Amino acid sequence: MNGATWLSYSLQDFVMFGPEVFLRLFARINQDLWPWLLLWPLAGLVLPWFGRQAAELPRRLAMALAGLAWIGCGYLFLVRYYGPVNWPATGFGWAFVFQGLLLLLLKGRALPGPMAWPVVVSWWLAVFLLPWLSVLEMPDLWALALFGLAPGVTVASTVLLFAGQPLPLRWLLLVLPLAWSLFSAAIYWALGTFWLLGFPVATLVLLVVALRVNPSPAQNPGSQSVHPGPGRQSP
Amino acid sequence: MLELSRRRFLIGVGLSGLVMAFPRLLAATPSSSEQDFHVRPIPSTGESVPAIGMGTWITFNVGGDQYLIDERTRVLETFLARNGTVIDCSPMYGSAADVIGAGLEKLGAHDRIFAATKIWTSDGSETREQAATSEQRWGIERFDLLQVHNLLAWQEHLATLKEMKAEGRVRYIGITTSHGRRHRELARIMETEPLDFVQLTYNVLDREAEERLLPLARERGIAVIANRPFQGGSLFRRFQSEPLPSWAREAGVGNWAEFFLKFIISHPAVTCAIPATTRVEHMQENMGAMYGQLPDTSQRRMMAEYVRQL
Ligand SMILES: NC(=O)c1ccc[n+]([C@@H]2O[C@H](COP(=O)([O-])OP(=O)(O)OC[C@H]3O[C@@H](n4cnc5c(N)ncnc54)[C@H](OP(=O)(O)O)[C@@H]3O)[C@@H](O)[C@H]2O)c1
């Protein structure tokens, strides 16, 4: 295709499903997984509690929970539910699973110090307020976008953990969240589901918050270690 | 898949001949019965198809959502009940083919449709394989019409489609484009290749096809499927809040859906328009365009002028 042909396409021409189909994905996955889905928000609730511990084992567990959340939302939401109506979602889904496995493999190393309070509060806000964005679009409690299942909430909250990583791991882990935010923002815009734009916007805001709380080693002359992070500020 | 019985063929040819020759004959009956609907002959055989078909892009791509599959089955049921047969799909449309298949299965309607899909792969050697996969998804033995989607690897696919037609693996072959893209190349293909069908965008605002492609289709005896008859829905968004012209009734138009669709199917080169919808009420409205009077040439001109000045 030449340039002129490409220019004749609009964003809408690339979206192959309607808003109702997309919004019902949240309700369908929640109904299908009931009551087990309650485990996911529970994991979202306790993760920072583990993450704040000085001992390494609970912090490993926090990272493992984040990994499981990425695998859950990658395989279940993206590959199984979203993929059949939007092919790129399948590719993203497997990439999410891969990133989740990476988080499991990194274990404690990926959460170098206890989570700082601003990060914990931001986390809880993300996990408990963002799910309502999908309900604002589709007024049905079943449509809650839950942490560990819905990619928007999972990505927005976990960037808080990724931003606390040493370089270059930090940026490696942030590639997929940023790519997903861009992709999903384009879809929400084309679908006209403007409340859902709150997910990518929240991801960026939380990333900025986390980066301010966890400056990179280059910006923070005090931290020489390869494991800088929130632990340095909140022992 | 529509089997062409001798009786059906004769009725079809006779009816379409009648409609073509005396378009106002059927329309003259104010309460036209469900039998009096507009059909058009496929020039290469004379077989008739109803002038309104059904598109499935976006609308039928609902994945594994059983509630929405049932809803789309009701849309399909309405389409069939109002005498629609031509259904257009493509492997590009996600799960749409599976949803059509589920609907046909539930309604037991495999033999009541004119099944049209596309070949959409840049690998020119995959024509047969992709057609077979689509047959499986629709639950049919063979397609009535296979079209090369958006001219993609068209030389290779068309060569195979010609073979398949000769073998009786498909009844008609064609090629598609949309949004007014690559019309010059399409014209060259129409001039040189033995096509039964061509599919292109034609609606009251997108009328580029009138210049070259529609006259060429008539000259070469190629059936024309008009896609994006509502410009992907934007015609409703732009005009639905406006009143219909005072002379709409005289042109056989009772609502905006009929306005847009009757404008298209009253063009002498157009065989069928394929609007897509997710809603039963909209399907009812759209199929309404297959009944009653059609605008004549001067009314068509007034229709185009009316939307232009809105
Ligand atoms: N290159 C190609 O081969 C190609 C390209 C484009 C399209 N096509 C084919 O052509 C078909 C039609 O084109 P399209 O689907 O792009 O667009 P379209 O049929 O012009 O418009 C579909 C839109 O119109 C709305 N609509 C339908 N009937 C309505 C009514 N009575 N009142 C109000 N709104 C109504 C539908 O919304 P609701 O769901 O709310 O009714 C839907 O959003 C496609 O489905 C596809 O099969 C082929």
Side-chain angles (χ1 to χ4, degrees), chain B residues 54-57 59 88-89 93 118 149-150 176-179 199 227-233 236-237 240 257 274-279 282 285-286:
Chain B
M54 181 177 88
T56 55
W57 164 243
T59 53
D88 177 71
C89 192
Y93 300 173
K118 303 178 192 110
H149 197 153
N150 283 351
T176 82
T177 185
S178 68
H179 299 71
Q199 184 183 138
N227 63 35
R228 291 177 55 82
F230 303 137
Q231 216 180 43
F236 287 105
R237 290 190 286 276
Q240 204 164 27
I274 47 168
T277 181
T278 54
R279 298 169 55 174
H282 288 172
E285 273 184 9
N286 299 348

Side-chain angles (χ1 to χ4, degrees), chain A residues 115-127:
Chain A
M115 288 166 79
W117 269 116
V119 173
V120 170
V121 172
S122 305
W123 173 278
W124 277 327
L125 286 176
V127 167

Side-chain angles (χ1 to χ4, degrees), chain A residues 65-100:
Chain A
L65 284 177
L68 289 175
W70 272 71
I71 293 171
C73 107
Y75 181 69
L76 290 172
F77 191 93
L78 293 175
V79 175
R80 293 287 303 277
Y81 285 74
Y82 193 12
V85 293
N86 193 16
W87 292 313
T90 308
F92 268 108
W94 289 119
F96 270 52
V97 170
F98 182 77
Q99 176 130 341

